[in-house]
């Protein structure tokens, strides 16, 4: 049933350290105090299912969190007006173009490979990491250990944050490296990071540095026009003009492997990747020629033809191999990732937002639902993609949900 609910109320190194609950109703599974390890932190409760939430940021910077279990809404605070947002499943990164604001949603999943642990804590406005220009963020699969990478394109600064410190309410920079300004990336993997290096103002190669920012001799690879990154179950991916670089850890060291596009392809390269957390396959638009699927486990690319222009694509990578896409007509498409067949589609949900460039509609795939914000429509949609793209819930918003992420995953 379609129902509507209101959403209310060489490299130079510099190291910088920054100073830095929603209640659960009776219908929520019982919680128990979190124990040490397994992704637990002081003050968090371990839950029996993922405490999923939709976090939106409006044009004025107001951050709201909608609990998808009980449909309550909390206003978490304000950040500087942002042009994009991302998440690792716990932290919300809001990019204003003049620094990166970070919010701890207080919800996360810890992946133990064969099972998961789920946690709920009080949300916290962590503060802002200073920088200049667009600031893409790269994360790992852990929100309590390891590092988080930020790259400020305007200044060419690569920053590696201590994720464990973030989980305790602090913003601590492991390193801040200076390169020439470019659209670059700092991608964490284990106790290392991949940092793009420019040539002629464009990212042209990737260097491996340790968590102190020291370059590792001989560790790196060419990556012409490096754009787009994602972490999968297998490793960290960086998109290149001729394919992708896959970084994995082998005996504690970073191993870089190139996954080239199929020979003879004329489709444009993927410059953004998205997929369900913890899965090996990700997707990205292939210009006007469809959708690229990258299986990082099999080290293969697949091109899916689509009958209309695609704005975004994400791989669910479930048993049915669903791929979801947001069409330029505002519809969400459900596609068979094996055959490319269109299985279902919604009505135009965000056509007005795409036509007027109102905010940034973002399609997020989870299992078994997907979420999409309509900034101009002032709504957030929950889509049951396995049930003929049925709209299972629609949440109306008091202001424009310009940006959206899903936390608790």
């Amino acid at each position: 049933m379609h129902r509507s609910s209101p959403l209310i109320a060489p490299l130079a190194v510099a190291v910088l350290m920054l100073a830095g609950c929603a209640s659960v109703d009776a219908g929520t599974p019982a919680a128990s105090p979190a124990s040490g390890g397994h992704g637990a932190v002081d003050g968090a409760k371990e839950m029996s299912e993922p405490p999923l939430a939709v976090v939106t940021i409006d044009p004025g910077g107001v951050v709201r969190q909608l609990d998808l279990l009980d449909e309550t809404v909390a206003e978490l605070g304000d950040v500087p007006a942002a042009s994009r947002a991302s998440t690792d499943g716990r932290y919300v990164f809001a990019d204003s173009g003049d620094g990166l604001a970070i919010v701890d949603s207080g919800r996360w999943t810890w992946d133990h490979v064969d099972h998961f642990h789920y946690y709920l804590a009080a949300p916290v406005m962590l503060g802002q990491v200073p920088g200049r220009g667009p600031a893409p963020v790269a994360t790992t699969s852990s929100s309590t250990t390891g590092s988080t990478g930020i790259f400020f394109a305007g200044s060419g600064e690569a920053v590696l944050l201590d994720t464990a410190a973030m989980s305790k309410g602090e913003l601590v920079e492991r390193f801040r490296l200076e390169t020439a300004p470019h659209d670059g990336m700092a991608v964490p993997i284990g106790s290392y990071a991949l940092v793009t290096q420019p040539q002629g103002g464009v990212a042209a190669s990737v260097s491996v540095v340790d968590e102190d920012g020291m370059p590792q001799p001989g560790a790196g690879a060419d990556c012409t026009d490096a754009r787009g990154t994602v972490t999968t179950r297998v490793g960290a991916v960086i998109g290149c003009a001729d394919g992708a670089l896959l970084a994995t850890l082998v005996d504690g060291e970073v191993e870089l492997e190139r996954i080239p596009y199929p020979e003879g392809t004329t489709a444009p390269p993927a410059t953004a990747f998205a997929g369900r957390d913890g899965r090996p396959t990700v997707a990205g638009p292939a210009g006007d020629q469809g959708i690229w699927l990258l299986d990082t486990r099999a080290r293969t690319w697949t091109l899916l033809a689509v009958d209309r222009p695609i704005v975004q694509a994400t791989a669910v990578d479930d048993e049915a191999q669903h791929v979801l896409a947001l069409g330029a007509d505002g519809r969400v498409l459900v596609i068979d990732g094996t055959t490319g067949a269109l299985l279902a589609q919604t009505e135009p949900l965000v056509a007005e937002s795409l036509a007027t460039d109102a905010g940034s509609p973002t399609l997020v795939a989870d299992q078994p639902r997907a979420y999409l914000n309509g900034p101009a429509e002032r709504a957030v949609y929950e889509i049951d993609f396995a049930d003929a793209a049925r709209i299972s819930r629609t949440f109306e918003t008091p202001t424009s949900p310009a940006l959206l992420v899903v936390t608790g995953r």
Side-chain angles (χ1 to χ4, degrees):
M1 183 177 71
H2 184 121
R3 61 194 182 91
S4 181
S5 301
L7 183 57
I8 309 169
L11 301 171
V13 183
V15 180
L16 173 66
M17 179 179 290
L18 303 177
C21 178
S23 63
V24 181
D25 69 12
T28 303
S32 60
S35 58
H38 295 86
V41 298
D42 290 342
K45 292 182 177 180
E46 186 164 1
M47 311 300 289
S48 59
E49 65 178 298
L52 295 179
V54 165
V55 178
T56 59
I57 303 176
D58 75 9
V62 177
V63 183
R64 294 182 176 89
Q65 182 161 264
L66 163 67
D67 188 311
L68 289 168
L69 295 177
D70 62 17
E71 300 187 7
T72 58
V73 177
E75 190 168 303
L76 304 187
D78 297 86
V79 296
S83 58
R84 61 180 168 182
S86 59
T87 185
D88 68 340
R90 174 178 178 174
Y91 307 104
V92 182
F93 305 98
D95 180 6
S96 68
D98 189 24
L100 187 80
I102 305 179
V103 181
D104 182 352
S105 73
R107 298 161 183 262
W108 68 97
T109 292
W110 195 81
D111 186 346
H112 203 186
V113 183
D114 60 344
H115 67 280
F116 301 90
H117 294 264
Y118 311 111
Y119 296 101
L120 182 64
V124 179
M125 305 295 289
L126 290 178
Q128 185 156 328
V129 180
R132 182 164 52 85
V137 178
T139 63
T140 68
S141 58
S142 172
S143 57
T144 57
T145 61
S147 303
T148 297
I150 307 167
F151 194 95
F152 292 102
S155 59
E157 292 176 300
V159 178
L160 196 69
L161 295 182
D162 184 332
T163 306
M166 281 203 295
S167 73
K168 299 172 184 176
E170 300 177 344
L171 295 181
V172 176
E173 296 188 5
R174 294 184 185 273
F175 67 63
R176 182 177 285 253
L177 307 178
E178 296 179 0
T179 71
H182 68 287
D183 290 330
M185 288 170 277
V187 181
I189 178 168
S191 57
Y192 300 92
L194 314 176
V195 178
T196 56
Q197 301 297 318
Q199 184 174 354
V202 178
S205 63
V206 171
S207 297
V208 179
V209 302
D210 66 19
E211 60 186 10
D212 295 321
M214 299 304 296
Q216 301 302 290
D222 291 337
C223 184
T224 304
D225 197 17
R227 285 194 287 173
T229 184
V230 68
T231 295
T232 75
R233 170 74 74 181
V234 178
V237 172
I238 293 180
C240 310
D242 60 354
L245 279 182
L246 174 64
T248 56
L249 289 175
V250 179
D251 297 328
E253 301 294 326
V254 176
E255 184 173 286
L256 295 174
E257 181 179 352
R258 191 174 303 279
I259 307 175
Y261 285 113
E263 189 174 348
T265 184
T266 59
T271 58
F273 303 94
R276 183 161 60 101
D277 286 358
R279 301 299 301 158
T281 302
V282 293
D288 60 358
Q289 296 192 38
I291 297 170
W292 280 117
L293 284 184
L294 173 61
D295 184 335
T296 58
R297 182 168 289 153
R299 274 65 164 177
T300 58
W301 291 95
T302 301
L303 181 63
L304 300 177
V306 183
D307 64 355
R308 72 201 75 186
I310 294 299
V311 177
Q312 296 172 33
T314 183
V316 181
D317 202 14
D318 55 2
E319 186 175 348
Q321 296 299 309
H322 287 116
V323 175
L324 307 182
L326 175 61
D329 57 2
R331 299 176 188 268
V332 173
L333 314 179
V334 183
I335 298 166
D336 186 316
T338 303
T339 67
L342 179 63
L343 302 176
Q345 61 182 322
T346 67
E347 61 188 74
L349 299 176
V350 293
E352 184 180 354
S353 292
L354 293 173
T356 60
D357 196 27
S360 301
T362 300
L363 179 64
V364 178
D366 201 32
Q367 175 66 17
R369 299 286 191 269
Y371 298 91
L372 175 70
N373 59 316
E377 293 78 8
R378 289 198 174 189
V380 172
Y381 305 98
E382 181 183 71
I383 303 158
D384 187 343
F385 54 82
D387 186 13
R390 176 176 60 89
I391 309 301
S392 53
R393 289 186 289 183
T394 298
F395 301 97
E396 299 172 354
T397 62
T399 57
S400 170
L403 303 171
L404 171 144
V405 299
V406 177
T407 62
R409 303 191 300 158

